[in-house]
Amino acid sequence: VAEGVLRLYILQDKRLDRATLIGKLLQLDDAPSQPELEGIIDTCKDVFVSAARGGLTAADFETSLQGEQVEEALASAYLAVWRRQESKIHEEMSRRSFWGTRLKRLSWRVDITTKSRHIDDLNEPCALVEFELSSSSSLSSSPSTAHTSSADETSSKERVLRFEMDRHTLAEMQAQCSRISALIESA
């Protein structure tokens, strides 16, 4: 139950829906009735959603389960699933929480200027840079649209930004990136 609930509600596995999960679980020999099973799924979902939104590590999750006084067998099952999927859970929650445009791909090359209005610019190297940007809506979908998103919708949200950088512009950019990196490291 726990693995299926986590895949459905947290990892948003598109191959799984609630009806399929319930159908598979009802086929088990010791399966409870459908209303009981739906209650178990909802409880499990609440536990996992709360932990995922809180960004809990396995140790934090274990402490949280003890604080909520969840049955030991149930807590053990939840924790086993959480430990197996922890990196995927955190990656998915991070992906969903990002609201802006994201750098999807960076490519570049260095060329030599062969034509210019100014003779001083000839034979100077310049970097040709290309950023492929993707909006957050093309990277994630809400739970209600997870199963209906089309490839056309996602590709229309991507943009490509191309520009040239000479030595001076590149040095300025490196200085700004170093400042950003220092601020992030100190936070």
Side-chain angles (χ1 to χ4, degrees), residues 6-178:
L6 186 98
R7 284 181 38 223
L8 176 61
Y9 292 106
I10 306 299
L11 301 178
Q12 294 183 341
D13 187 338
K14 292 178 178 152
R15 299 169 293 175
L16 188 63
D17 61 26
R18 187 176 175 97
T20 304
L21 178 62
I22 291 171
K24 285 182 179 183
L25 294 172
L26 285 172
Q27 292 175 359
L28 298 174
D29 292 335
D30 58 346
S33 67
Q34 184 165 347
E36 287 177 307
L37 188 56
E38 287 181 359
I40 292 168
I41 287 172
D42 289 339
T43 302
C44 184
K45 172 188 166 191
D46 292 344
V47 168
F48 282 140
V49 167
S50 174
R53 286 186 178 155
L56 301 185
T57 62
D60 295 335
F61 187 50
E62 184 173 19
T63 303
S64 170
L65 291 172
Q66 289 169 352
E68 294 177 21
Q69 298 178 348
V70 176
E71 283 182 38
E72 191 173 328
L74 209 51
S76 162
Y78 288 167
L79 197 53
V81 170
W82 191 267
R83 283 189 174 127
R84 262 195 319 274
Q85 302 289 348
E86 186 174 6
S87 62
K88 288 181 184 178
I89 294 165
H90 289 293
E91 183 180 310
E92 176 65 21
M93 296 310 287
S94 174
R95 184 182 66 81
R96 279 196 230 165
S97 67
F98 191 80
W99 53 268
T101 302
R102 176 179 296 208
L103 179 61
K104 185 174 178 183
R105 187 178 57 81
L106 165 72
S107 54
W108 57 272
R109 74 172 195 253
V110 175
D111 279 352
I112 302 294
T113 306
T114 58
K115 292 182 181 180
S116 177
R117 292 182 191 190
H118 307 286
I119 197 142
D120 294 341
D121 292 339
L122 287 175
N123 297 324
E124 279 295 313
C126 72
L128 302 173
V129 181
E130 181 177 283
F131 290 153
E132 186 175 336
L133 306 173
S134 187
S135 69
S136 62
S137 61
S138 68
L139 290 173
S140 66
S141 54
S142 67
S144 61
T145 61
H147 302 288
T148 60
S149 180
S150 72
D152 294 336
E153 288 175 25
T154 56
S155 62
S156 66
K157 303 286 184 183
E158 295 177 359
R159 297 187 320 246
V160 176
L161 174 65
R162 293 181 185 95
F163 57 94
E164 291 184 21
M165 295 173 38
D166 60 12
R167 290 176 203 254
H168 177 70
T169 309
L170 181 59
E172 287 177 6
M173 184 174 180
Q174 284 177 319
Q176 293 295 330
C177 287
S178 293

